[in-house]
Every structure is written in structure tokens, then in C-alpha cells.
Amino acid sequence: METKSENACFGGVQGVYTHTATSTSCDMTFGLFLPPQAKDGDVPVLWYLSGLTCTHENAMTKAGAQAWAAEAGIALVFPDTSPRGEGVADDDAYDLGQGAGFYVNATQAPWDPHFRMWDYITDELPQLLFGEFPLDPDRQGITGHSMGGHGALTMAMRLKGRFRSVSAFSPICNPTQSDWGQKQLTAYLGEDSGQWAAHDASLLMAETGFDGPMLIDTGTKDQFLDLLKPEALASAIATKRQQAVFRMQPGYDHSYFFVSTFMADHVAFHAEELLG
């Protein structure tokens, strides 16, 4: 692991690090904010998964999460959204390829050698983080925005017992029925739609739900509402009688102005579970 930068931030440290990942067969970069409380021992962890076209930098610099995390004493992890570099497959479209990993393990050429973001986020990166930094693996929450909201919800529901809490900003809720999903799942996983269900939050909600609290915010003026399909997840939550707060925020769009507006709510939501 190589330290790219470390900056003092709200009494803690905002770092950026790179390492050679075996799961993605390339170098990967991630951001990690350690709150001041990490000087005294292991702290809880909140994972933040970013959306289409983003890197580790977007939420790290735009979401305003560090101030609230420092106050609560929670670390923040900002992974990248896909493998990158020379020899890594890409596409001219912004919603496929580099920057658009969709947090799945690709099985189809040309994506399968590198696009194994599920294994990277759920296995390899946690092993690195908990081995190198003062983080508590028994106190984890996960959140994300858009494509990252999709990843956060699917990981929370599939990895039983891993996360105490899950939240999402404008998540892609029903990718098997959306152009933000059908295109990418076909490319990465193949034509058999039966392989897609494990990466659809609405289907997972109907099948298993989440053993803990859930918070979801989406703006009523989100320009991608028809692609996000929040109504599918809301219906599944109601049918499952899932413990959840599902909010449609009037006037807000898909941008980081929206994310930063409600970030304090989300950090406080996770803090209640991780520190309670």
C-alpha cells in the first residue's frame, strides 16, 4: 500500500492510498477518513459507495461527511467505482466500463479479467483496511449514492450480519427493470436475467430484506427518477414490512448539493446504530 496524501481534517486525517488489488488485477485507489477518536483505539466504519462516473474523490471532497463523522467518531471509507488503468476494458458510454463497475463480479468478456468490484469491496479492501488501520470490523455501516446506493443496498441485504445499518441517496432501486441496469448487467453478467436478481435491491428486499434499520432519500426533482425506480423499492419495503425510513425530498435533484444537504442525517442515522 502506498500513501498518496494525508491531510489534517476536523481533528482527524483524510488519507488517499493506492494498492495492487488481486481481485481486480490492477492498482486501486481509495480514500479513508480517520476521526480524531482513532488515536485512542478502533473506531466504527461507514462505507460510502459512489455513483456513475465518480472516483474515490467525489464524495470525499463534495459530500461534507467528514465534519459529522469526526463529531461522531466514525471512520469513512471512499472506494473507487471501478478498476482503472492501461489494459482495463472501457466503453465510450459514461454508464459502462471504467467509472461504472456497478459493484458486480463480471463473468463476460472483455470485462471479467478486472471488473470484480463485488469481491474487491466486500473482501479484499476490508481485509486491507482492518489489517492496517484502527477500525472495528464489528461496527460497520454502509451508504452510497445512485449506482453506489444500489451497491450499498445489495451488499447490506446479501451479507447478513456484516452491516448494522444501511442508507442510500438516490439509489438505483430496480436495475433488472431499468436502462440503468439491464444494459450493464447484460454486459457484465450475460443475457441470462436470472443471474441479475442478486444485484437488484427491490428483488432482494422482497426476498430477504435487511436485519436492521434502513434510510433512503431521493429528490422529487431528480432528473433520473425513471431510471432509479424508487417506487419499486418503496413497494417492496412496505410488503416486507421492513424497518425503514423512505423519504422523497421535495425539490432536490441527483447532485452532490442534494447529498451534502442530507449527509448529516445519514451520518447521525448510522452513528445511532454503530455507537449505541
Side-chain angles (χ1 to χ4, degrees):
M1 187 177 67
E2 178 184 352
T3 300
K4 304 298 289 185
S5 63
E6 288 184 333
N7 298 95
C9 182
F10 294 101
V13 177
Q14 176 61 65
V16 176
Y17 309 91
T18 63
H19 68 113
T20 300
T22 57
S23 54
T24 60
S25 300
C26 66
D27 288 346
M28 298 292 292
T29 301
F30 65 91
L32 173 66
F33 171 71
L34 288 175
Q37 294 86 342
K39 299 171 186 174
D40 301 319
D42 292 353
V43 294
V45 185
L46 178 58
W47 293 78
Y48 183 101
L49 305 186
S50 291
L52 288 168
T53 75
C54 293
T55 70
H56 68 282
E57 286 188 300
N58 293 74
M60 191 178 79
T61 59
K62 295 180 180 180
Q66 291 92 337
W68 309 110
E71 182 177 327
I74 295 174
L76 301 168
V77 182
F78 303 102
D80 203 346
T81 54
S82 78
R84 300 179 192 273
E86 186 177 353
V88 176
D90 201 4
D91 192 271
D92 290 338
Y94 75 94
D95 57 356
L96 186 67
Q98 295 187 34
F102 264 75
Y103 304 102
V104 303
N105 286 339
T107 59
Q108 306 298 304
W111 314 104
D112 51 325
H114 300 284
F115 280 72
R116 303 190 62 80
M117 290 299 294
W118 180 274
D119 282 354
Y120 177 69
I121 299 294
T122 66
D123 185 19
E124 184 169 5
L125 185 56
Q127 288 191 45
L128 174 64
L129 290 171
F130 294 120
E132 296 288 337
F133 298 99
L135 307 174
D136 185 351
D138 293 326
R139 293 185 291 168
Q140 297 185 65
I142 190 167
T143 187
H145 174 231
S146 192
M147 179 185 72
H150 138 80
L153 292 170
T154 57
M155 289 177 184
M157 284 188 275
R158 287 178 57 188
L159 301 174
K160 297 298 185 183
R162 171 81 64 95
F163 302 104
R164 294 191 184 185
S165 50
V166 60
S167 71
F169 301 87
S170 307
I172 300 173
C173 297
N174 195 198
T176 62
Q177 302 301 315
S178 169
D179 287 343
W180 267 3
Q182 292 176 336
K183 171 185 176 179
Q184 295 83 2
L185 296 175
T186 299
Y188 295 143
L189 302 180
E191 298 282 351
D192 180 6
S193 60
Q195 302 298 314
W196 304 353
H199 298 284
D200 187 304
S202 296
L203 298 180
L204 287 170
M205 176 57 65
E207 181 180 351
T208 66
F210 175 65
D211 186 20
M214 178 179 291
L215 171 63
I216 298 170
D217 279 314
T218 300
T220 61
K221 294 296 181 68
D222 192 306
Q223 56 271 50
F224 304 112
L225 270 180
D226 289 344
L227 295 168
L228 302 177
K229 296 191 176 295
E231 65 279 0
L233 182 57
S235 176
I237 286 172
T239 300
K240 192 67 174 178
R241 298 178 180 175
Q242 168 72 38
Q243 177 188 359
V245 176
F246 191 104
R247 307 188 297 194
M248 296 298 299
Q249 299 290 2
Y252 285 90
D253 60 16
H254 200 73
S255 70
Y256 265 92
F257 297 111
F258 159 69
V259 173
S260 61
T261 298
F262 297 101
M263 180 55 71
D265 287 359
H266 283 246
V267 174
F269 162 77
H270 289 281
E272 184 174 351
E273 297 302 315
L274 300 178
L275 300 171

